[in-house]
Amino acid sequence: MPVGPGESYFYGMSARPKPERDLENAPRFALAELPVPLVFATHRIIRDCNAEFAALFGFERAELIDTSFSRLYPQLDDFVRTGEMWRSHLPGGQVYQDERIMRGAMGRRFWARVNGRSRRAADPFAEAIYAFEPLNRPVNGATLRLTGRQRQILALVAQGRTNAEIAAEIGLSQRTVEAHRLRLSRAVGVRNGAELVAWFLADGG
């Protein structure tokens, strides 16, 4: 639930359920004490984040609290598409991750790996915590000319996913994924999947 001015959310260190008698003595830490970019959100509204998360995006923490995650995506379509995928794959208590381009202050684009965990199985976005890791992967004109869906597929290809796994992950047919990969290979002038991944991770990604 939202906190008052100057307060912060606190989180236990263990994801495993503890007996009620042990909860009172369980170690608890504020997000501000944890040394990686972290954010707590309800229904994709940022309710708390630490200084590392704000700095990653080039904002002050106060500028992000109680604002929508949508402001941190290059396009609204990216926000919607990512939400659809996470809603399907983030049941309560489980960890899910993806890689995507985010948008910081002054329009700066960068790749990030995002890990998340939801506390509610029935509604994954009701209460969720996310850790962000910036990736050393270029974002240039070639990247930005791709559609959000193409970047999503390329990121999964680079992780070694098969066409069938990618199709299940993003809710498309395997044939559609294959068609996307073929068009991408032709567009960037590569001959196979290995060359496509190499292009993505080097000059094109």
Side-chain angles (χ1 to χ4, degrees):
M1 57 185 295
V3 296
E7 299 180 43
S8 181
Y9 290 91
F10 281 77
Y11 307 92
M13 291 296 289
S14 174
R16 295 181 180 179
K18 291 179 175 291
E20 188 171 342
R21 65 181 180 276
D22 294 338
L23 291 178
E24 188 173 323
N25 297 321
R28 297 166 72 83
F29 295 82
L31 286 187
E33 297 178 81
L34 302 176
V36 296
L38 290 167
V39 57
F40 174 75
T42 61
H43 301 290
R44 308 185 79 189
I45 301 296
I46 297 169
R47 300 302 185 187
D48 191 16
C49 67
N50 58 9
E52 286 80 2
F53 177 83
L56 176 62
F57 286 88
F59 292 102
E60 295 295 327
R61 177 178 173 275
E63 296 179 90
L64 295 174
I65 300 302
D66 294 332
T67 65
S68 171
F69 257 120
S70 62
R71 70 181 299 189
L72 303 180
Y73 284 79
Q75 303 289 337
L76 183 59
D77 285 350
D78 297 319
F79 172 73
V80 172
R81 182 177 52 255
T82 301
E84 291 171 348
M85 185 171 66
W86 278 68
R87 185 177 292 281
S88 299
H89 298 284
L90 190 65
Q94 299 299 311
V95 172
Y96 183 65
Q97 76 165 30
D98 74 354
E99 297 175 5
R100 85 285 282 266
I101 291 179
M102 303 299 295
R103 182 182 67 183
M106 307 298 292
R108 179 179 64 91
R109 262 72 163 177
F110 63 95
W111 279 95
R113 178 179 295 117
V114 183
N115 286 270
R117 184 192 297 274
S118 173
R119 296 181 63 188
R120 298 191 186 181
D123 187 354
F125 291 139
E127 293 181 272
I129 191 164
Y130 307 91
F132 280 69
E133 175 191 354
L135 298 176
N136 185 22
R137 183 181 297 164
V139 178
N140 54 32
T143 306
L144 298 177
R145 283 192 293 272
L146 300 177
T147 67
R149 178 67 81 188
Q150 289 172 330
R151 290 194 296 267
Q152 185 182 50
I153 290 173
L154 270 176
L156 291 168
V157 171
Q159 294 173 35
R161 307 290 185 89
T162 66
N163 289 339
E165 289 170 337
I166 294 171
E169 185 91 353
I170 63 179
L172 296 177
S173 71
Q174 185 172 333
R175 180 169 296 182
T176 299
V177 172
E178 292 168 354
H180 273 296
R181 291 185 61 169
L182 179 60
R183 285 196 294 271
L184 282 165
S185 296
R186 289 174 176 171
V188 302
V190 299
R191 294 169 296 180
N192 53 49
E195 291 185 2
L196 182 62
V197 170
W199 172 86
F200 173 65
L201 296 179
D203 297 330

